Amino acid sequence: MNRNCGPGIAVLQSAQLTRLVTNCIVENGRGGITVEKDCRVELRGNGIYENSGHGVRFSGTGQIAENDVVGNCGYGIQVSASTDIKVVRNRVQPAQGCGIALLGPVKGVVHDNILFQGHPENKKPLLHMDAGNESCVLRNNSILRPNNR
């Protein structure tokens, strides 16, 4: 899924579990992967690189696990309005936005991810959760920044 004008992959309707495993999604005109509300999706082992929008924009239920999400212009992983999400063991390095952003009411768990500082002038937090969101658990995520000497 390379160099499309829109998103690399868009899951718009999916009542049954849809698995996207070991894909390379690179340099698309919008985001890398978009998952809409009411979709059940597992993203595992994908390489999502240098897309013009977010690496992953996820509004459904399921898992985002063991992906490399690097150099995307928007957020690395944006989760919004999800009712059951697991974001685990991803490696994320955004170019300009947050590494992982949990927007609005998100119910789930975000753990064991490694977030790397992207562009040195990017001042957005690598891990962001909207205030008042008490239904999402953050644990054991690593935030790595280069040493400035």
Side-chain angles (χ1 to χ4, degrees):
M1 311 333 150
N2 300 331
R3 298 189 178 129
N4 295 302
C5 292
I9 298 174
V11 180
L12 306 175
Q13 296 178 347
S14 174
Q16 295 183 354
L17 180 62
T18 299
R19 288 189 170 99
L20 299 172
V21 180
T22 63
N23 295 285
C24 186
I25 298 113
V26 181
E27 296 179 357
N28 292 287
R30 295 196 186 213
I33 298 175
T34 298
V35 176
E36 293 296 338
K37 187 177 176 188
D38 299 326
C39 294
R40 293 182 54 221
V41 176
E42 175 185 359
L43 306 177
R44 182 177 299 276
N46 297 288
I48 305 161
Y49 309 108
E50 299 179 2
N51 295 285
S52 294
H54 305 311
V56 175
R57 187 176 64 79
F58 202 100
S59 298
T61 61
Q63 279 191 70
I64 303 170
E66 301 172 357
N67 299 285
D68 291 320
V69 186
V70 177
N72 298 284
C73 290
Y75 299 149
I77 299 172
Q78 174 191 308
V79 179
S80 59
S82 285
T83 56
D84 185 16
I85 183 74
K86 290 182 179 114
V87 182
V88 296
R89 294 183 305 278
N90 296 284
R91 292 154 304 277
V92 182
Q93 182 177 32
Q96 298 174 11
C98 297
I100 298 175
L102 307 166
L103 307 177
V106 174
K107 180 181 176 188
V109 62
V110 177
H111 69 86
D112 295 319
N113 296 285
I114 302 173
L115 298 113
F116 299 90
Q117 178 70 44
H119 192 279
E121 301 204 6
N122 180 10
K123 302 299 182 202
K124 295 188 178 165
L126 288 174
L127 185 56
H128 169 81
M129 183 166 65
D130 279 352
N133 186 344
E134 298 176 7
S135 298
C136 193
V137 176
L138 306 177
R139 76 177 169 208
N140 202 33
N141 296 289
S142 299
I143 295 177
L144 303 177
R145 299 182 196 281
N147 292 335
N148 294 330
R149 296 180 181 188

